[in-house]
Amino acid sequence: MCTGDNPLTAVSVAQECSLIAPGTTVFVSHLKQPALCSSDGNMFVPLTSVEWKESTGQSIELDPVTLIPKSTDPHNACKTELNRPYCLAITGAAFAYLERHAQGTPAWKHMLMRAAVFARMSPEQKAALVDHLQQLGYISGFCGDGANDCAALKTADIGVSLSEAEASVAAPFTSRVSDISCVVQLVREGRCSIATSIACFKYLGIYSIVQFTTCCILYSYDVNLTNGQFLFVDLFAVLPITVCLDRFEPFSRLVPRRPTASLASKRVIASLIGHTVLTAGFQLAVFAMSASQSWYHAPEPATPGDPDSTPEKGDLNTILFVFSAFQYVFMGVVFAIGPPYRQRAIRNYAFVLVTASLLAFELGVLLGPLPGLRSLFGLVKVQVGWRFVVFGMAVANFVMCYFGERVVFPLVAAPAAK
């Protein structure tokens, strides 16, 4: 708690709000008159100029240098009191003194980590406190509701205004609820956003790999995907899935660990490499298996010696397009990871509807007698039994990617992260 109120009032409020746990001893700072003790005329205030007294008046205080509890009445010392958990309540005057004369010392760092209440703090001191916590490596958040909190709200990594008055101008976030319960929702939303960004990044990355592999195989035979195939993949498959991946709600409760916040983290890189190997490997396997069939006809130029005359329609184009179309949908399901940061995929009704519709449509194109769709996408009729083989390979690819994303790749990345 950081406030401009009286320290004892702040301690009482902090105890009622459970910011200070029951049974915790609170030591309040008292700044004594500084002493002149340097020969060159400069003022020097030793650490002993700050006294730490127990808030209820018990015969116990903190050592001003080590900040370790000690009894002021050795004859009636109670060892259980000395062993109880404790925290600090610091006044603005003591904070200013320690900031000037003890900054960087072990006592200064210990004080910042032990303090639960900062009282009689000016607006500048509130901002300075946030800055010092950031220097210690903490991600600092600040909630405020008045003009005196504007500087701290702007300095903090996460500033939340609890009113729509002056503080809302400086704070990145403004809550309509005038208590700190909004912080929990903010953290949940933030973690969900990070997890969603990582999922979308990985999906778009693997989408590019899948299409790159398809085009490389086709280019080796001087053919390419048709305009209708490109249009379907980009506009009717990848775009809706990407949009729906972004529509996940945050999970209902917080967990102790945070999601990775780096696109170049070991876990993200391991996932991308693993899925690249699996998707490209399965597509190459389907190509090799198809090319070995007696009914397969490799693309050939219509005019000998003219590669540009090679027709795009054929067995190779049809098999790779249909197989890669299933990969786009299945990889969206693989990256639709729910808990612990997002709701389960089944709760994202738009995502379920889009994936189910795409799978049904692609199965119709693959298995159904739909000559109109085959003509629209520039496909040819493939042997019926081989259609089920293509779909089975797509399902196998999905199972391996799903298992890898949730089990194998995190285990592979864990030793590398250390």
Side-chain angles (χ1 to χ4, degrees):
M1 174 184 290
C2 186
T3 178
D5 294 335
N6 181 277
L8 296 180
T9 302
V11 169
S12 177
V13 173
Q15 290 172 335
E16 291 182 8
C17 297
S18 299
L19 294 177
I20 298 177
T24 301
T25 303
V26 182
F27 295 94
V28 181
S29 65
H30 296 271
L31 182 61
K32 298 189 296 185
Q33 183 68 28
L36 289 172
C37 57
S38 61
S39 58
D40 58 0
N42 294 325
M43 180 177 291
F44 174 74
V45 185
L47 287 173
T48 53
S49 293
V50 175
E51 294 180 333
W52 302 91
K53 297 182 179 180
E54 206 278 331
S55 60
T56 61
Q58 298 184 33
S59 298
I60 182 174
E61 65 179 20
L62 289 184
D63 183 280
V65 177
T66 63
L67 297 182
I68 296 176
K70 64 179 182 179
S71 175
T72 57
D73 187 2
H75 300 290
N76 298 318
C78 180
K79 293 184 179 180
T80 58
E81 281 290 321
L82 295 175
N83 293 330
R84 291 173 61 183
Y86 68 95
C87 64
L88 308 180
I90 305 170
T91 62
F95 178 84
Y97 145 69
L98 289 171
E99 182 182 32
R100 180 178 180 184
H101 298 284
Q103 187 176 163
T105 64
W108 168 256
K109 297 179 181 179
H110 193 182
M111 181 269 297
L112 289 177
M113 297 177 67
R114 277 283 184 180
V117 173
F118 294 85
R120 294 296 188 194
M121 298 283 283
S122 67
E124 294 77 13
Q125 289 175 329
K126 292 178 181 180
L129 171 62
V130 172
D131 183 62
H132 290 307
L133 291 173
Q134 291 171 332
Q135 291 178 14
L136 293 180
Y138 288 97
I139 303 298
S140 302
F142 196 93
C143 295
D145 60 357
N148 291 339
D149 301 316
C150 289
L153 289 169
K154 190 174 182 179
T155 305
D157 295 297
I158 303 173
V160 182
S161 171
L162 302 180
S163 73
E164 298 183 10
E166 301 92 340
S168 63
V169 178
F173 303 97
T174 300
S175 172
R176 296 180 180 178
V177 181
S178 59
D179 57 55
I180 62 173
S181 62
C182 62
V183 176
V184 177
Q185 178 66 17
L186 181 62
V187 174
R188 289 171 53 226
E189 291 283 358
R191 291 183 174 185
C192 177
S193 298
I194 293 175
T196 298
S197 298
I198 296 295
C200 290
F201 169 76
K202 291 195 289 188
Y203 177 71
L204 291 176
I206 296 303
Y207 146 68
S208 302
I209 294 296
V210 171
Q211 193 168 85
F212 173 77
T213 305
T214 302
C215 291
C216 283
I217 297 175
L218 293 175
Y219 287 167
S220 65
Y221 288 88
D222 300 316
V223 295
N224 197 1
L225 295 173
T226 65
N227 292 335
Q229 292 169 351
F230 273 120
L231 185 65
F232 171 76
V233 169
D234 294 337
L235 190 59
F236 296 102
V238 174
L239 179 60
I241 291 176
T242 306
V243 171
C244 292
L245 277 177
D246 189 48
R247 302 295 295 174
F248 276 73
E249 296 291 330
F251 195 50
S252 56
R253 58 185 176 86
L254 290 175
V255 294
R257 67 182 185 277
R258 295 180 298 173
T260 178
S262 173
L263 296 179
S265 66
K266 304 295 191 301
R267 188 163 183 167
V268 174
I269 297 299
S271 175
L272 287 174
I273 294 176
H275 289 304
T276 297
V277 173
L278 288 175
T279 54
F282 266 89
Q283 199 167 150
L284 290 170
V286 169
F287 161 65
M289 293 167 60
S290 301
S292 65
Q293 302 301 308
S294 58
W295 48 263
Y296 175 82
H297 295 88
E300 295 181 356
T303 303
D306 183 11
D308 293 335
S309 66
T310 305
E312 294 177 341
K313 294 179 62 175
D315 294 334
L316 178 62
N317 175 283
T318 299
I319 292 171
L320 289 184
F321 167 71
V322 173
F323 182 77
S324 64
F326 281 112
Q327 285 185 312
Y328 297 129
V329 179
F330 283 143
M331 291 311 298
V333 178
V334 168
F335 293 126
I337 300 175
Y341 307 116
R342 306 194 299 174
Q343 293 285 2
R344 300 185 185 279
I346 197 67
R347 301 285 299 275
N348 187 340
Y349 303 119
F351 179 78
V352 173
L353 177 62
V354 166
T355 53
S357 300
L358 285 171
L359 284 176
F361 179 80
E362 291 170 4
L363 281 172
V365 172
L366 177 64
L367 305 176
L370 303 173
L373 286 178
R374 287 201 297 268
S375 175
L376 176 64
F377 293 122
L379 306 178
V380 298
K381 191 174 181 179
V382 180
Q383 190 180 55
V384 176
W386 196 250
R387 302 178 195 177
F388 289 96
V389 173
V390 171
F391 181 67
M393 290 291 288
V395 173
N397 188 189
F398 164 68
V399 172
M400 293 190 66
C401 288
Y402 188 91
F403 183 73
E405 178 67 17
R406 282 154 178 78
V407 180
V408 179
F409 303 150
L411 292 178
V412 172
K418 296 178 181 179

